[in-house]
Amino acid sequence: MNAKSLRSITPIAGFFVSAAALNRDREMGKRSNFERREADFYPTPKAAVVPLMPYLRGVRTFAEPCVGDGDLARHLESFGLRCAYTGDIRAGQDALASASYGAVDAIITNPPYTRELMHRLIAHFQGIASTWLLLESDWAHTKQAAPFMPTCSDIVAIGRVKWIPDSKYTGKDNSSWYRFDARHTSGPVFHGRGIVEAIPMRRRTCQQCGKAYELQRSSSRFCSGTCRTRACRQRLSVTASVTTLSVTPSVTMEDQPA
């Protein structure tokens, strides 16, 4: 690649993105009269985090792979969550280069909005853990979002965000928290502003005990680890019985002693 070609691309989060793509995304991204910041660095204000908290029931630890200056991580920790991993491309930590962020309940981050990169991050993160991303609300209505909608389980609307702390103006686009999980396949539930509804309100019947329980993930079949263990033991017991019957020789009248 020659020097001229190198000058036409820009590294963001460990990947080279073409200048044409960046220019296109400047028109699609956070619309304002301000020049777009390097690496899409926009600190997340606490006001954008507060509406998300009722939907993080069961999340105790999280990873922040696009941490920037750590604003989002600090806001989440102020509500009692523990940040188990932080990384940022500006510190040489490529979010797309890690196959795991340790033992975390979720990935929560405000990713770069450059579309090519953002889409790769969604695909990467959702395969590691349940993922919450702060994105533009309108993104869900675009054709480019269509491939990601089946694994998006929830969209929490938060309205316009003041991205520049010392400005008296908010951004021109509405924002939402999107939850992605590769194990989920039935599309999103929309949660409007001011409507506080914990995600585990969705219920399912336990296949072992028959009781209704709050659904934590779309692939869940049992209400507890105890029911899961009992079901497994019963399945093993049935398998062993069938195996025993299949190897027991049948006795006919001709085999009977005289």
Side-chain angles (χ1 to χ4, degrees), residues 5-251:
S5 297
L6 284 172
R7 285 195 297 270
S8 69
I9 58 178
T10 303
I12 298 182
F15 276 82
F16 287 105
V17 180
S18 69
L22 285 174
N23 289 333
R24 181 176 63 252
D25 288 335
R26 283 191 179 96
E27 299 174 0
M28 299 169 64
K30 298 183 177 69
R31 295 181 290 110
S32 73
N33 296 324
F34 297 97
E35 192 160 327
R36 191 161 182 158
R37 294 183 174 183
E38 181 183 356
D40 274 357
F41 173 60
Y42 293 88
T44 307
K46 192 168 187 176
V49 179
V50 173
L52 174 65
M53 297 313 300
Y55 300 91
L56 296 182
R57 199 167 88 183
V59 175
R60 296 180 177 82
T61 60
F62 68 96
E64 222 295 31
C66 306
V67 71
D69 286 346
D71 294 76
L72 174 56
R74 284 191 293 271
H75 298 326
L76 290 167
E77 289 189 320
S78 73
F79 288 100
L81 277 65
R82 182 174 67 85
C83 186
Y85 172 89
T86 60
D88 194 86
I89 189 60
R90 297 183 302 168
Q93 297 159 309
D94 184 355
L96 290 167
S98 298
S100 172
Y101 302 118
V104 296
D105 296 319
I107 296 169
I108 308 175
T109 192
N110 174 12
Y113 278 19
T114 302
R115 293 300 191 256
E116 178 185 348
L117 174 58
M118 188 181 84
H119 295 162
R120 298 184 76 173
L121 288 171
I122 293 172
H124 183 67
F125 290 156
Q126 70 177 359
I128 296 175
S130 170
T131 298
W132 284 97
L133 300 181
L134 182 56
L135 308 174
E136 296 162 332
S137 296
D138 279 350
W139 175 78
H141 303 278
T142 63
K143 289 183 178 179
Q144 60 187 268
F148 304 98
M149 285 296 98
T151 56
C152 176
S153 63
D154 297 270
I155 301 175
V156 180
I158 66 171
R160 295 185 179 185
V161 177
K162 183 186 287 187
W163 296 110
I164 303 174
D166 55 355
S167 171
K168 60 182 179 179
Y169 302 107
T170 61
K172 295 181 179 180
D173 296 297
N174 287 304
S175 297
S176 295
W177 285 99
Y178 291 71
R179 181 180 181 272
F180 297 93
D181 192 322
R183 298 167 297 185
H184 179 82
T185 58
S186 56
V189 173
F190 178 77
H191 307 273
R193 296 179 65 187
I195 303 174
V196 179
E197 175 190 344
I199 289 173
M201 289 297 290
R202 283 175 271 177
R203 302 176 73 80
R204 179 174 290 176
T205 301
C206 177
Q207 292 186 9
Q208 175 61 22
C209 68
K211 294 181 180 179
Y213 68 100
E214 295 180 352
L215 187 61
Q216 297 290 340
R217 64 173 186 266
S218 59
S219 60
S220 173
R221 294 188 296 146
F222 306 105
C223 65
S224 65
T226 301
C227 279
R228 186 184 303 108
T229 300
R230 287 175 179 171
C232 182
R233 287 175 178 171
Q234 288 180 359
R235 186 166 61 251
L236 290 174
S237 176
V238 170
T239 302
S241 299
V242 171
T243 302
T244 301
L245 288 172
S246 65
V247 299
T248 301
S250 58
V251 178

